[in-house]
Amino acid sequence: MMRFLLVCLGGAAGSGARYLVALGATSLFGARFPIGTLIVNVVGSFLIGVAMQALPPSDLRLFLTTGVIGGFTTYSAFNYETLQLPTAMGIVNVVATFTGCLIAGLLGMWVARR
């Protein structure tokens, strides 16, 4: 139960940070391009790479990776997992994720309009 609470606490912190980055980026650069999302995805991917390599499996690593970074951006987990795959499987994962999410998003928009 304690590990679950660590993930929840970290997720709240990461989500709050994502919100603040999005506000700041929109304020600085405008809203024409989702630069805030790009920033959190790139920074999150960097941070999860550092944490997974530098920290041994522990409650701290769980808190930081699944909690904080996972709340900050779920792209970081996708990126890390893709980089752990053999090249061909990594490419399949990228294409399947991009295509599947694009189709799911379009389908979700279509369903919501009905």
Side-chain angles (χ1 to χ4, degrees):
M1 184 60 146
M2 183 61 173
R3 297 187 88 194
F4 173 75
L5 294 174
L6 286 172
V7 169
C8 291
L9 180 62
S15 295
R18 177 178 62 226
Y19 176 71
L20 293 175
V21 169
L23 283 179
T26 300
S27 175
L28 287 171
F29 303 109
R32 290 185 53 146
F33 184 81
I35 190 75
T37 300
L38 178 60
I39 290 168
V40 298
N41 285 339
V42 171
V43 169
S45 293
F46 172 77
L47 292 175
I48 201 168
V50 169
M52 293 300 283
Q53 294 302 306
L55 298 173
S58 63
D59 288 349
L60 174 62
R61 188 168 92 170
L62 180 70
F63 169 77
L64 291 174
T65 58
T66 304
V68 176
I69 300 168
F72 190 61
T73 171
T74 56
Y75 181 83
S76 59
F78 162 75
N79 185 62
Y80 180 78
E81 290 167 353
T82 300
L83 292 173
Q84 299 308 301
L85 296 170
T87 303
M89 289 302 297
I91 292 168
V92 169
N93 191 40
V94 168
V95 171
T97 298
F98 178 79
T99 304
C101 290
L102 185 64
I103 291 168
L106 290 170
L107 181 60
M109 291 168 61
W110 179 80
V111 167
R113 289 181 184 143
R114 298 272 173 236

